[in-house]
Amino acid sequence: MAATGATALASDPVERLVGAAPETTSSNRQTVELRLARLDDFASASGFITQLGEDRFSLPYHEASWIESWQSSFGETEHCQPVLVAGFLEEQAAFFLPLALQQNGPLRVLSFLGQNKANQSTGLWRCAAVDAVEPAVLRRHLSALAETLKADLLQLANLPEYFGESPNPLCFGELVQCPSPVFIGPLSDDFDDLFRTSHSKAARKKLAKKQKSLEAADNFQIVCAETEAEIVRGLNAFLEQRAVRAAATGIPNVFTGEKEKLFLETLLKSGQEREQTGLNLWWLECEGEIRATYLSCRSGDRLIGYANSISHDDMTAHSPGVVLLKEIIARACADPGLHCLDLGLGDERYKRSWSEAVALFDSYTPLTLKGKLAFFAFSKKQALKVRIRKSETLWPLVRKMRALKARVLSS
């Protein structure tokens, strides 16, 4: 019999079974039965997420508001068919995996929905379920689901090895390290102590001098957008600054068009209503101009940095982006509900002051010959990227070549 509340997902959950038949999975506590079901739509997914309860491991990228925003913004143009998977242990709601089937040339790939706009991929998990699910068993279920969808490859990108202190049940199949790590660090209830332990005396003095220069300008302020007008103003500055930086440095910009603007705007507006799942937009302003922006959100006790931007003008030398982040972290330290700092993907020098690099992995499960060939190509390309990123010679050269190409294209 289905667990209480689970029957609302379908009139007959058995008919909605996907993947392998129910199977026992043993943990260090007990042996439990694992079953997957496919949900019809985002409304059903939202209802199922509610059944997972508040005591769950989650990041915002797979919450209902986030995946709905992504699908409404990009789903049609990227030809994604949502595959919303509910996991049950002993008929109790255990986890939610928002997947999508996508045609990539001749290849059909089952992956996380919207994983190209997420810093990490985790799904949503009831905390007690994480240790109860064996990776090998979950792999069999998801592989069987992928086969029913005629997918060539099951690809789960940007997976952390651990959910807190527990091994990630999604780390199965062929694991390949991602080129970019995420940066994770602690928050303290004493910001001054955190600042002293994370920054040298010289670094603190240098940053204080820069902050004083910014504060000396007219109308210096740190703003967290609240009204619709503030969201529009801050978002326009973010998008413009990102475009200018991409043109100057050649660094790829994943926020380039109207669909990206719609996606972020939808999340920012949902952040006004749902603090746990929406985005917040911060900015540093002086002399009537926005000099830096930062998009952040929170999940549980974690403050998450999603994306940022800085202006390229007379204030750039004073590092407005670094000053803004410092002030955001100071306010986070004053919040008793926040204990972890997640600065997201990408190895930037400012992140290393506050946090440490944590490797992520892509999981590949080839299902057909085409899938095996694609995995071979993807894994070799990924390994090459990792080697280049770790090279003290090659990676600076790549950045210089990007900047040179950008200047040539813009001239």
Side-chain angles (χ1 to χ4, degrees), residues 242-284:
R242 296 273 299 199
V244 170
R245 180 171 182 260
T249 64
I251 295 175
N253 180 14
V254 298
F255 301 106
T256 57
E258 287 302 313
K259 292 185 182 298
E260 284 77 9
K261 182 177 181 180
L262 173 63
F263 171 64
L264 293 175
E265 193 171 55
T266 303
L267 287 174
L268 287 165
K269 290 179 179 178
S270 75
Q272 296 175 290
E273 304 170 2
R274 291 172 284 188
E275 185 181 23
Q276 291 292 315
T277 58
L279 278 177
N280 292 313
L281 192 159
W282 297 79
W283 76 68
L284 183 151

Side-chain angles (χ1 to χ4, degrees), residues 209-226:
K209 182 178 179 181
K210 290 184 174 185
Q211 184 161 348
K212 286 180 180 178
S213 297
L214 291 167
E215 291 174 342
D218 291 338
N219 299 316
F220 171 87
Q221 56 182 326
I222 304 291
V223 176
C224 183
E226 295 181 354

